[in-house]
Amino acid sequence: MASRDWLATIERLGNRLPHPAMLFVWLCALALLCSALFSGASAAHPATGEALHVRSLVSGQGLRYILTSMVENFTGFGPLGIVLVAMLGIGIAEQSGLLGAALGRLARAAPDSLLVATVAFAGVLSSLAVDAGYVV
């Protein structure tokens, strides 16, 4: 009985969470606010000891910095390109029906002795296809 109440509480709290895109927007707004509040502060880089200064992203110069370094920020992060290409491929395969057809064929072609393992494998693959959107 207690575990059911605990799970119900977790479900209720999870349902109150906003959409992941809105969380991203709010965190961006928080980063802008923090950059404005701590503008002029500095800290030492842990590896080199170089002084790093906080720049306000809300000012004209900060907005210019955001817009001119945006491509460099995205391309400088290596895993992002792989994830975007994979997400594009998974999205096209899912919307075209290729994933559903391939998983259905896999389950129908499985020999009787491997049916349980094949259905479990197909379930894992279909779960990966649906949940891959949260990677982005």
Side-chain angles (χ1 to χ4, degrees), residues 5-106:
D5 294 337
W6 181 74
L7 290 174
T9 302
I10 289 177
E11 181 181 4
R12 213 173 19 260
L13 292 174
N15 289 338
R16 289 185 180 181
L17 283 174
H19 192 275
M22 285 308 301
L23 288 174
F24 180 76
V25 169
W26 291 346
L27 289 173
C28 288
L30 180 65
L32 290 172
L33 178 67
C34 286
S35 75
L37 289 175
F38 298 113
S39 178
S42 64
H45 190 284
T48 63
E50 176 187 0
L52 301 173
H53 302 283
V54 177
R55 89 174 63 177
S56 174
L57 299 175
V58 181
S59 66
Q61 183 181 9
L63 181 61
R64 196 169 21 261
Y65 171 75
I66 290 172
L67 295 176
T68 58
S69 65
M70 188 178 301
V71 173
E72 182 183 324
N73 282 337
F74 282 112
T75 59
F77 184 59
L80 182 64
I82 295 169
V83 169
L84 289 178
V85 170
M87 291 305 304
L88 182 64
I90 288 173
I92 290 171
E94 188 172 0
Q95 289 298 317
S96 69
L98 176 65
L99 287 180
L103 289 172
R105 182 176 171 108
L106 175 69

